[in-house]
Amino acid sequence: MKHKKVILDCDPGHDDAIAIIIAASKRSHLNILGITTVAGNVSVEKNTVNALKICELLDLDVPVYKGSQRPMVKRSEIAPEIHGETGMDGPALPEPMKTHEDQHAVDFIIETVKSSKGKVTLVPTGPLTNIAMALVKAPEIKNNIEEIVLMGGGTFGNWTPAAEFNIYVDAESAKVVFESGVPVTMFGLDVTHQVIADQRIQERYAKIDNGIADFVSELLVFFGEAYRDHFGFEGGPIHDACTAMYLLKPDLFEFKNVHVDIETKGEFTYGMTAVDLLGVTGSQPNTKFAESVNREEFWNIFEDILISYNKEQ
Ligand code: RIB
Ligand code: CA
């Protein structure tokens, strides 16, 4: 029985794709009400095509809604050096037959949360533009949001020394989200860099014989090469997968309740998540901050999920 209602807001994106695969798996108890897309890794048009391709590959009957074309204030920044020109370079998926819905993603989020019997969990894994716009346009939805489970930020940056990409692209929207009063569960670089899909992991999953596992292997090869070339890593950290894995198995992670502020003015710190680990601000905690993950169990569960896509199972 699928019970926890979720909306996946994403910019696929190699690791967004993996988060969708986890959330949509037979092992998941998630009821995915819709997938919304946002300008991030690449343009919202390309991110939307990628989301449609993923749904078709998974035979996932979930509506896809195109969202914000650009951040709230700044110009768009994209990351083709990490995700390629298409935003999901590596695997060759056919052009999707499925099309996105006519309704804008922000309006879908508002209407769905407002009308839902039971709270909805929002799961943004790209810039927070759609989420912030929904909260600004219809603040009353806050009462029917269970939590916002997001990938973004950290105590260090990967786009500037201070800022992680998702927050940096639209720090003003991130400020709206973190100041909204809605419970935020944050998977920042501190924890996502603990789940790097290195050669050992890639070889382990390459042995799984089904189309979804093959797709993930191709994602991990491209993503891993990009991280090796760009950062000298052993592979790609599958950042966004942490959100979906948390929803399936929260006790995989260790958290600390902290106050987080978003910097929107600093010349060198724009987009920084100021994570008050020592409580020096005296401000009320607004964020459940993921500090660590049980790596071995994370990879084991991910392996089981990929195997669960075997048709005969
Ligand atoms: O910094 C990592 C984040 O930026 C991930 O969500 C990745 O998909 C990109 O959006
Ligand atoms: Ca993403």
Side-chain angles (χ1 to χ4, degrees):
M1 159 66 170
K2 302 271 181 186
H3 45 83
K4 186 184 276 284
K5 293 180 174 181
V6 299
I7 294 174
L8 307 180
D9 184 70
C10 56
D11 62 339
H14 293 70
D15 51 332
D16 304 76
I18 292 173
I20 295 170
I21 287 167
I22 293 167
S25 70
K26 294 182 193 115
R27 273 197 54 146
S28 145
H29 55 277
L30 302 179
N31 175 5
I32 305 173
L33 303 178
I35 293 175
T36 53
T37 60
V38 65
N41 283 321
V42 287
S43 69
V44 69
E45 287 76 18
K46 289 183 179 179
N47 289 333
T48 305
V49 167
N50 291 336
L52 292 166
K53 285 181 174 180
I54 296 160
C55 287
E56 277 194 351
L57 178 73
L58 296 176
D59 200 14
L60 180 60
D61 184 16
V62 163
V64 173
Y65 298 83
K66 187 156 78 92
S68 306
Q69 306 261 349
R70 51 151 295 175
M72 198 80 88
V73 175
K74 272 173 53 279
R75 284 180 314 104
S76 280
E77 303 244 353
I78 57 174
E81 62 273 42
I82 300 294
H83 296 276
E85 278 314 302
T86 68
M88 205 164 67
D89 279 19
L93 294 179
E95 284 311 301
M97 302 292 282
K98 184 179 169 84
T99 56
H100 64 78
E101 307 301 311
D102 292 337
Q103 187 177 36
H104 192 281
V106 172
D107 295 324
F108 165 75
I109 292 168
I110 291 169
E111 282 186 21
T112 303
V113 173
K114 266 169 103 169
S115 61
S116 170
K117 284 188 182 46
K119 293 195 172 189
V120 178
T121 296
L122 302 183
V123 190
T125 57
L128 292 165
T129 316
N130 290 339
I131 310 299
M133 289 180 76
L135 290 169
V136 168
K137 183 174 179 183
E140 65 275 17
I141 65 172
K142 291 180 188 178
N143 304 322
N144 213 25
I145 299 172
E146 179 75 33
E147 63 181 322
I148 296 173
V149 179
L150 65 87
M151 190 278 140
T155 61
F156 57 93
N158 63 1
W159 202 250
T160 74
E164 176 278 329
F165 178 78
N166 286 341
I167 307 298
Y168 181 82
V169 166
D170 193 344
E172 286 77 10
S173 288
K175 187 175 180 62
V176 168
V177 170
F178 278 84
E179 292 181 355
S180 68
V182 176
V184 170
T185 300
M186 171 181 165
F187 292 90
L189 299 179
D190 305 78
V191 72
T192 68
H193 279 192
Q194 296 175 38
V195 284
I196 293 178
D198 60 16
Q199 203 55 39
R200 186 178 57 81
I201 291 295
Q202 291 180 35
E203 285 164 11
R204 176 175 170 183
Y205 294 161
K207 292 179 185 137
I208 303 169
D209 183 19
N210 67 53
I212 305 305
D214 293 344
F215 173 61
V216 167
S217 290
E218 290 169 343
L219 288 171
L220 295 180
V221 167
F222 182 90
F223 199 45
E225 280 164 13
Y227 264 84
R228 259 189 292 280
D229 296 349
H230 212 69
F231 294 104
F233 281 20
E234 292 296 308
I238 53 173
H239 310 279
D240 298 337
C242 291
T243 61
M245 289 294 260
Y246 160 75
L247 291 168
L248 264 62
K249 197 140 183 3
D251 62 6
L252 266 178
F253 301 91
E254 304 253 309
F255 296 95
K256 184 167 190 175
N257 290 322
V258 295
H259 186 81
V260 174
D261 283 308
I262 308 295
E263 176 58 68
T264 58
K265 300 206 174 15
E267 182 184 356
F268 301 109
T269 55
Y270 175 89
M272 176 182 178
T273 49
V275 181
D276 187 5
L277 287 170
L278 298 181
V280 294
T281 63
S283 302
Q284 272 304 310
N286 59 352
T287 304
K288 199 163 89 171
F289 176 76
E291 290 193 297
S292 65
V293 57
N294 180 331
R295 233 184 298 229
E296 190 180 341
E297 199 180 354
F298 180 99
W299 295 124
N300 290 343
I301 292 172
F302 186 26
E303 183 173 49
D304 289 349
I305 285 170
L306 292 178
I307 291 170
S308 77
Y309 276 98
N310 284 348
K311 285 277 184 276
E312 55 279 355
Q313 283 216 352

